[in-house]
Amino acid sequence: SVYAGGTVIPSVSIEPKVINLGTTGSFDLDVAVVPAGTSVTFTSSDGDVATVTSAGKIEAVAAGDCVITASITVDGVDYTDTVTVIVA
């Protein structure tokens, strides 16, 4: 965890930053959040290319590319990270 003056700095981080999938592929995101246990919301920039479940599982739909965003809210402030999904 990262600390500033004894205070935890909230963050959300997705690895890897680019995911390549076939049109029937899926991938479980590895998401690290600080503080631990913070609820994460996932969204897809194009549900016609790939969808993402509330648990962070990406499901390919059709060829193309989109961006999956993971976001957390801590004390009214939003923190996000993204991953590019390429479906071919």
Side-chain angles (χ1 to χ4, degrees):
S1 297
V2 178
Y3 295 88
T7 303
V8 174
I9 300 173
S11 67
V12 58
S13 178
I14 304 173
E15 294 295 336
K17 293 299 179 198
V18 177
I19 298 169
N20 292 284
L21 293 174
T23 54
T24 60
S26 65
F27 187 88
D28 292 311
L29 287 173
D30 182 13
V31 180
V33 295
V34 176
T38 303
S39 178
V40 181
T41 301
F42 298 97
T43 56
S44 172
S45 65
D46 190 343
D48 292 334
V49 174
T51 59
V52 61
T53 68
S54 60
K57 182 175 185 174
I58 299 171
E59 300 271 355
V61 177
D65 60 285
C66 68
V67 175
I68 301 295
T69 301
S71 60
I72 63 172
T73 303
V74 177
D75 296 330
V77 179
D78 294 329
Y79 301 87
T80 62
D81 197 14
T82 60
V83 58
T84 299
V85 177
I86 300 166
V87 180

